[in-house]
Amino acid sequence: MADEALKRVRTRHFQRAKENGIKITGLTSYDQLTAGIFDEAGIDFLLVGDSAGNNVYGYDTTLPVTIDDLIPLARAVAGAVKRAFVVADMPFGSYETGPDEALHTAFRFMKETAAHAVKLEGGVRSAEQIRRIVSAGIPVMAHIGFTPQSEHGLGGHVIQGRGEQVEQLLADARAVQDAGAFAVVLEMVPAEAAARVTAELRIPTIGVGAGPHVDGQLLVWTDWAGFTKGRIPKFVKQYANLRETLTDAVTAYRTDVEAGSYPGPEHSYED
Ligand code: KIV
């Protein structure tokens, strides 16, 4: 949105950005230090994603993540920002049984973290949950296409919406819009499919591996910053190499301590 005068990003600013063709920027964040940096840099929204499972807790997937895992992280992020809109991710197993469970989970995030909205995965299958949460006055960001919480059901990290599957993607997009979502994440879908969804919807689309024809972009911060170990998805552009920087720094520290050159007199107190 790049409107630095904006004191606090609200859901209406997402809508306005789409109407005016202004791109929305989003990143994940799991702690107050990165949240503060991203907020000051003008990133529009921060997602306290269940990707914390991989990036904070060391799980292989997002499936083991619990509400109690995410609440302290969401509280830290929401407490660190002045302008950015903070979205808390609803983890696997916290909303699927129905609208009552979904609302209960959303209440916990809103009351215990000061986040501004929640996100949940699924299109048609999650529409009733979205409707109930929105009817309680809580903004919902939807998430369709590849939905990591269903990775076993989907047969792995598989691109969604290819060929005839685009009809299902469109049906999911319409369902979450009709249910009242203020924005929808499209993850790992072909650029052309994302363009069709974006053209059809009134609400903004936020792409994660969905090409350029969407209303905004979202990335997992540890991926673009070169902090993640191992392979990162093709759609990620790497803007830094924090892993190398930190490895060099820690190696230099260890070498200095072992050689007795740290601490020097400048790091020591006098009597
Ligand atoms: O948890 C997360 O980081 C996400 C994004 C990848 C969309 O859900």
Side-chain angles (χ1 to χ4, degrees), residues 98-136:
D100 288 345
E101 184 192 37
L103 184 58
H104 180 72
T105 300
F107 277 150
R108 281 205 62 194
F109 278 109
M110 300 307 283
K111 289 172 94 71
E112 296 180 44
T113 76
H116 308 117
V118 294
K119 176 173 87 56
L120 54 80
E121 296 185 4
V124 173
R125 70 180 164 92
S126 296
E128 284 316 307
Q129 282 88 331
I130 294 172
R131 199 179 304 281
R132 179 71 69 86
I133 297 170
V134 171
S135 72

Side-chain angles (χ1 to χ4, degrees), residues 28 30 47-52 62 89 119 121 143 148 185 187 208 218 220:
T28 64
Y30 318 106
L47 170 68
V48 186
D50 62 357
S51 49
T62 59
D89 217 359
K119 176 173 87 56
E121 296 185 4
H143 181 166
V185 171
E187 181 165 352
V208 183
L218 168 64
V220 170

Side-chain angles (χ1 to χ4, degrees), residues 23 189-192 194-195 198 205 207 209-217:
K23 297 285 188 187
V189 304
E192 282 315 307
T198 301
T205 55
H213 311 298
V214 286
D215 300 306
Q217 298 289 337

Side-chain angles (χ1 to χ4, degrees), residues 195-241:
R196 275 188 68 182
V197 173
T198 301
E200 186 171 316
L201 291 195
R202 294 184 309 279
I203 60 172
T205 55
I206 308 292
V208 183
H213 311 298
V214 286
D215 300 306
Q217 298 289 337
L218 168 64
L219 283 175
V220 170
W221 88 264
T222 47
D223 289 347
W224 66 257
F227 208 10
T228 304
K229 189 173 183 186
R231 210 182 134 268
I232 54 167
K234 165 191 161 90
F235 60 80
V236 176
K237 177 172 172 184
Q238 203 175 311
Y239 286 86
N241 196 341

